[in-house]
Amino acid sequence: MNVLKSERMLKVVLLTFSLAFNTLYCIGSFASDEYVPLQGDIIFQSLPNGDIANAIEGATRSPYSHVGIVISTSTGWKVREAIESVHDTDLSVFIERGRNNSIDVFRLKSKYQKYIPKFIRATQKYLNHPYDIRYRMDDESIYCSELIYKAFNDATGLRMGKLVKLGELHWGKYEKLIKSIEGGTVPINRKMITPVDLSKALQLELIYSSF
């Protein structure tokens, strides 16, 4: 009986260790008491004070000025994002960069999770593209929510969120900034996908918030 009990106890210990190891492997180098990342999570933040970030948040009347997609790599959890260029950033660095380290995380609803591998692969073709400060929907340069929107559409044929025209946003306060970027005009008919309009996509559900 003692031998049998010892064998059972050993199995329990090995099973516990295995579960713990798998959990650590899935989490990678990122540790959080609250948010547990999952491949394909869409993570939103408010960038530090700056003309562009303030204009995005003010014109859309939302706390979101930036967004990226969470991916698992051999060196830990990263966020693939378009900021300066399209590249990968450590998840912990991404979070620490935002105002008050605040994030909102949205996850694909269960019926759409089958697309995640293809979704992630679709982001790869945009790597190293320069950042698009003019927020156009061409492929020459890419902005943050455009990366997510286009990759999901490329992978699934579905639209994530709704395109809006600049003229539909509260842009008046930022007219001088827009004109300086555009060379003297305000392209009110330019269509774009804003971070907050991306967050309203029917495919997504909010799973974590620290705002």
Side-chain angles (χ1 to χ4, degrees):
M1 289 295 292
N2 289 336
V3 173
L4 289 174
K5 285 183 179 180
S6 297
E7 289 179 349
R8 289 183 188 132
M9 288 179 65
L10 179 60
K11 287 180 181 179
V12 170
V13 170
L14 290 173
L15 178 60
T16 302
F17 175 80
S18 176
L19 290 171
F21 177 82
N22 287 334
T23 300
L24 287 171
Y25 177 81
C26 291
I27 293 175
S29 62
F30 176 77
S32 171
D33 292 334
E34 300 180 57
Y35 169 52
V36 178
L38 186 69
Q39 182 92 319
D41 283 350
I42 311 299
I43 183 168
F44 295 79
Q45 70 178 181
S46 173
L47 290 172
N49 259 319
D51 290 343
I52 299 298
N54 292 340
I56 294 170
E57 294 175 18
T60 61
R61 294 190 174 174
S62 81
Y64 304 148
S65 50
H66 191 53
V67 59
I69 182 169
V70 176
I71 61 173
S72 177
T73 74
S74 60
T75 57
W77 288 104
K78 308 285 185 181
V79 177
R80 185 158 292 164
E81 58 174 344
I83 186 169
E84 297 182 359
S85 66
V86 180
H87 62 272
D88 296 342
T89 301
D90 287 344
L91 177 56
S92 58
V93 173
F94 181 95
I95 294 172
E96 289 167 5
R97 182 181 61 207
R99 299 187 206 184
N100 302 315
N101 303 150
S102 297
I103 56 170
D104 273 357
V105 182
F106 289 76
R107 186 164 290 168
L108 284 167
K109 295 177 181 177
S110 57
K111 67 182 290 187
Y112 299 103
Q113 289 186 10
K114 62 185 178 182
Y115 297 119
I116 289 175
K118 194 173 180 181
F119 181 21
I120 300 295
R121 287 196 298 273
T123 65
Q124 294 176 0
K125 80 172 187 177
Y126 300 105
L127 284 169
N128 301 314
H129 278 52
Y131 182 76
D132 186 4
I133 197 172
R134 297 175 66 188
Y135 306 104
R136 298 162 298 180
M137 292 299 290
D138 59 49
D139 287 351
E140 291 182 17
S141 50
I142 300 291
Y143 59 93
C144 62
S145 40
E146 180 188 15
L147 171 66
I148 310 303
Y149 179 89
K150 283 187 171 179
F152 190 77
N153 183 254
D154 292 345
T156 68
L158 302 173
R159 294 184 178 182
M160 181 181 281
K162 177 185 176 183
L163 296 178
V164 296
K165 293 181 179 180
L166 174 60
E168 297 170 343
L169 305 178
H170 305 278
W171 59 269
K173 183 178 177 180
Y174 311 99
E175 182 175 358
K176 184 178 179 180
L177 174 64
I178 295 169
K179 285 183 174 180
S180 71
I181 293 170
E182 292 292 331
T185 60
V186 178
I188 59 174
N189 290 318
R190 179 169 298 162
K191 289 186 177 182
M192 59 187 69
I193 180 70
T194 72
V196 72
D197 285 297
L198 185 71
S199 75
K200 296 175 182 177
L202 61 84
Q203 297 94 347
L204 299 175
E205 57 186 353
L206 181 67
I207 60 98
Y208 176 81
S209 179
S210 61
F211 270 91

